[in-house]
Amino acid sequence: MNRTRPLVVGIESSCDETGVGIVRGDTLLANTVSSSMDEHVRFGGVIPEIASRAHLDAFIPTLEQALDTAGVTLDEVDALAVTSGPGLAGALMVGVCAAKALSLATGKPLYAINHLVAHVGVGVLDGGVLPENLGALLVSGGHTEILRVRSLTDDVELLGSTIDDAAGEAYDKVARILGLGYPGGPAIDKLAREGDPMRIRFPRGLSQPKYMGSAQAPGPHRYDWSFSGLKTAVARCVEQFEAAGEPLPVADIAASFQEAVADVITAKAMLACTEQGISNLLLGGGVAANSRLRALTEERCAAHGISLRVPPVSLCTDNGAMVAALGAQVVMAGGQPSGIEFAPDSSMPVTSVHL
Amino acid sequence: MLILSVDTSAIASAALLTGQGETLAAFATEDTRSHAEVLAPGIGKIMTTADVTGADIDALVVGVGPGPFTGLRSGIATARSLAFAWDKPLHGVMSLDAIAVDAALDAWRAGVDEFVVATDARRKEVYWARYRSTGGTHELLDGPHVSAPSEVPDLPAYGMGAGLYPQQLRRVTEYSGTQPTAEALGRTAIVKLAKGLDLLDTAPLYLRESDAKIPGPRKRAL
Ligand SMILES: [Zn+2]
């Protein structure tokens, strides 16, 4: 196996995107994604069984297209990589079974990769080697986390995460309350530009002293988030306008909600960075496309002297290239393949970069 | 001819069969919930046992259900990926046929013309199909369906589904624990392939919708 600039195929099926990406070392060759998002619209959120069915249908066509785009054959590949968790159990199963079969059929080594760490690893495809003292802020429909990355391939630590809804999930739920459709992120982001973000002060979850504590004596949720109370607060607010018979200031509510999300995410991320000696931050996950989150992260990173790296949106949303990118890093670092007997783990911890 | 057969409609199983229907090697699990872990290693093992490589295989067949969704997809995803990587033809077979192939012979011996095959569909339901035995050969008459056991036709019933609901189904005792296996599935496929008959494509037979509910409109405060 070529461990210097390995040709790696990465497979992703943890949520509603079926992704196959191909990299050579830290060079991106193909990033093919088939999304079942349209099928979830009428339900207002990702339905796991629908996503799993779509993965099965999409996998081979997506793989074929990725190989075609990269201009490579399976025979030439050095290694295969697949998301083994965290994610939706039934969805993960499709990618894992397909990846194991490809490994069995071709004799190529298979690496079982952590989806969250792959969101960080994708950074190498845009700007090369990641800096030291690295943190990663991951925000998407499925997760909201702040990680400390001492080594991309073998030392990643979870500093904080949401204790209930993911930020993207909160966007979807609030968009439904406001009648804005699914997915909620882009709709709220667009409408928020016309609204007053200061009109309503929505709560910043887990920001009270009993949760935060101090740097010396941290509370139980110093770097954690909670978005379920925020969603409830938006619902109450809408009810109050309706009860008073007033027209709903939808744009102001959207802007105020978005401000609450971006504020609490970045405030806690900055706290984690400054207290944990993190001087370089990578922003990843689908919600990295949100204009206010990006702007506020840039602004606050600049104020704290933290360098910020944000991969292009096509690499931030779930995709196979990130799995291939991290897989290639593991191969280059001399990591052992995972074999084909491992089980997908829907709650795989970030401390486990690969199995 | 060499066939690799895979079925995960209930248990996970795989088999290598010759064109004469002789089994070179086979593997089957007991349990119905670890398909993603055990299937690929199981296939690897039978290929080693039979000293066969992908290049030696002429075609693959896969059970397309009905069966519990996640397990069923494991087999289909595996078979499709193997067929793609080896560039070999892949056919689908209705999984209940894997029980019917042996049931038909038993029914013929017992002088029974029509019978049903039933497997566990969980949620107090069974997957079932109705067959005719013509001189020991099965012919599908109706199905597959998923329903409460009480809605299954009152005929001799073969398979685990009959074993689970002896009050409602007229179970054939010796077959009351029988699950579809890739070995039996492969035998039915070979007969059809040899006769030049069409097999199915590999679209899974879920028979049930995804269970998702479209949320109702939000209740207004007034
Ligand atoms: Zn993700």
Side-chain angles (χ1 to χ4, degrees):
Chain A
M1 177 175 31
N2 176 354
R3 284 200 189 256
T4 322
R5 271 171 61 75
L7 182 64
V8 180
V9 172
I11 295 164
E12 156 64 31
S13 73
S14 68
C15 192
D16 61 340
E17 328 275 356
T18 313
V20 178
I22 303 177
V23 306
R24 194 186 297 278
D26 57 10
T27 306
L28 178 65
L29 302 183
N31 183 19
T32 309
V33 177
S34 164
S35 175
S36 60
M37 190 199 291
D38 292 349
E39 297 175 54
H40 305 286
V41 168
R42 63 201 178 108
F43 302 105
V46 173
I47 305 297
E49 176 58 23
I50 291 177
S52 301
R53 290 183 182 192
H55 285 308
L56 181 65
D57 291 341
F59 178 68
I60 295 290
T62 307
L63 172 64
E64 273 188 292
Q65 200 190 320
L67 289 168
D68 199 47
T69 304
V72 301
T73 64
L74 279 178
D75 279 348
E76 299 169 45
V77 165
D78 290 302
L80 300 158
V82 65
T83 297
S84 55
L88 303 169
L92 287 167
M93 209 76 86
V94 177
V96 165
C97 285
K100 287 182 173 188
L102 293 178
S103 173
L104 176 67
T106 59
K108 309 291 183 184
L110 174 62
Y111 290 81
I113 296 292
N114 186 302
H115 175 88
L116 294 176
V117 184
H119 270 302
V120 187
V122 78
V124 302
L125 301 179
D126 179 55
V129 179
L130 294 169
E132 307 230 307
N133 302 322
L134 178 67
L137 176 59
L138 307 179
V139 190
S140 80
H143 30 85
T144 308
E145 287 95 11
I146 176 104
L147 314 180
R148 184 220 302 274
V149 184
R150 287 202 179 89
S151 156
L152 186 55
T153 53
D154 64 14
D155 191 353
V156 180
E157 181 192 350
L158 182 71
L159 297 177
S161 68
T162 178
I163 60 164
D164 41 54
D165 294 347
E169 227 175 326
Y171 267 89
D172 291 336
K173 288 176 178 172
V174 165
R176 202 169 99 67
I177 293 169
L178 298 178
L180 298 175
Y182 174 87
I188 288 179
D189 197 6
K190 187 158 171 259
L191 193 62
R193 283 169 211 173
E194 299 155 25
D196 174 8
M198 301 304 160
R199 167 104 183 246
I200 303 145
R201 170 83 193 178
F202 285 122
R204 274 63 167 164
L206 301 180
S207 60
Q208 301 95 316
K210 63 175 172 177
Y211 297 122
M212 301 282 289
S214 64
Q216 291 72 35
H221 295 295
R222 189 165 179 79
Y223 307 139
D224 291 334
W225 296 276
S226 164
F227 297 102
S228 73
L230 175 56
K231 172 199 67 192
T232 310
V234 173
R236 289 294 95 75
C237 167
V238 167
E239 281 166 16
Q240 278 165 16
F241 278 103
E242 283 172 351
E246 290 175 37
L248 207 58
V250 182
D252 290 347
I253 296 175
S256 300
F257 161 77
Q258 172 147 296
E259 192 59 27
V261 172
D263 179 37
V264 74
I265 288 178
T266 52
K268 290 218 172 193
M270 289 306 115
L271 197 63
C273 289
T274 49
E275 290 178 0
Q276 300 292 324
I278 291 167
S279 49
N280 300 287
L281 187 67
L282 181 138
L283 176 63
V287 183
N290 181 276
S291 65
R292 184 58 187 149
L293 181 67
R294 273 180 101 114
L296 202 54
T297 309
E298 280 165 19
E299 191 183 312
R300 289 184 173 174
C301 276
H304 288 90
I306 296 165
S307 86
L308 177 66
R309 206 149 137 174
V310 191
V313 172
S314 62
L315 296 178
C316 279
T317 49
D318 289 351
N319 65 81
M322 66 192 219
V323 182
L326 181 55
Q329 294 294 313
V330 172
V331 170
M332 289 188 276
Q336 286 306 302
S338 312
I340 57 171
E341 291 182 20
F342 66 87
D345 178 0
S346 57
S347 54
M348 189 171 176
V350 295
T351 44
S352 170
V353 174
H354 63 103
L355 295 177
Chain B
M1 189 162 66
L2 184 65
I3 300 280
L4 173 63
S5 174
V6 174
D7 185 83
T8 55
S9 64
I11 59 169
S13 60
L16 283 160
L17 299 101
T18 68
Q20 287 71 46
E22 182 202 345
T23 303
L24 297 182
F27 126 90
T29 58
E30 289 288 307
D31 83 294
T32 57
R33 293 181 191 267
S34 59
H35 299 349
E37 289 102 289
V38 300
L39 184 60
I43 295 171
K45 251 169 237 147
I46 62 170
M47 290 180 66
T48 307
T49 305
D51 196 19
V52 158
T53 67
D56 301 326
I57 291 167
D58 294 294
L60 292 89
V61 296
V62 64
V64 293
F69 309 152
T70 300
L72 181 61
R73 275 189 291 268
S74 302
I76 298 175
T78 299
R80 285 183 184 173
S81 302
L82 290 172
F84 174 79
W86 288 330
D87 194 19
K88 303 288 180 181
L90 169 64
H91 308 280
V93 177
M94 202 268 276
S95 295
L96 300 177
D97 285 359
I99 295 176
V101 63
D102 293 326
L105 204 58
D106 184 76
W108 173 67
R109 286 192 197 110
V112 169
D113 289 335
E114 288 190 19
F115 64 93
V116 294
V117 167
T119 56
D120 184 13
R122 300 177 186 166
R123 301 187 219 168
K124 298 188 176 137
E125 292 191 319
V126 289
Y127 296 116
W128 63 271
R130 176 177 185 153
Y131 291 87
R132 176 165 36 225
S133 174
T134 313
T137 303
H138 65 283
E139 179 197 345
L140 180 64
L141 296 179
D142 181 24
H145 299 287
V146 61
S147 76
S150 57
E151 289 169 44
V152 177
D154 184 22
L155 291 168
Y158 292 80
M160 179 76 127
L164 286 171
Y165 302 100
Q167 257 78 45
Q168 291 94 331
L169 273 74
R170 229 201 291 159
R171 67 166 170 189
V172 178
T173 316
E174 308 90 276
Y175 288 82
S176 60
T178 305
Q179 297 274 38
T181 64
E183 193 177 0
L185 190 92
R187 275 190 276 123
T188 79
I190 282 163
V191 172
K192 286 188 177 169
L193 286 172
K195 288 182 187 162
L197 297 173
D198 279 346
L199 293 167
L200 304 174
D201 65 18
T202 61
L205 301 173
Y206 291 121
L207 305 191
R208 282 182 182 135
E209 289 304 314
S210 61
D211 259 3
K213 295 223 170 25
I214 297 174
R218 186 176 55 84
K219 287 198 210 82
R220 295 181 71 86
L222 282 180

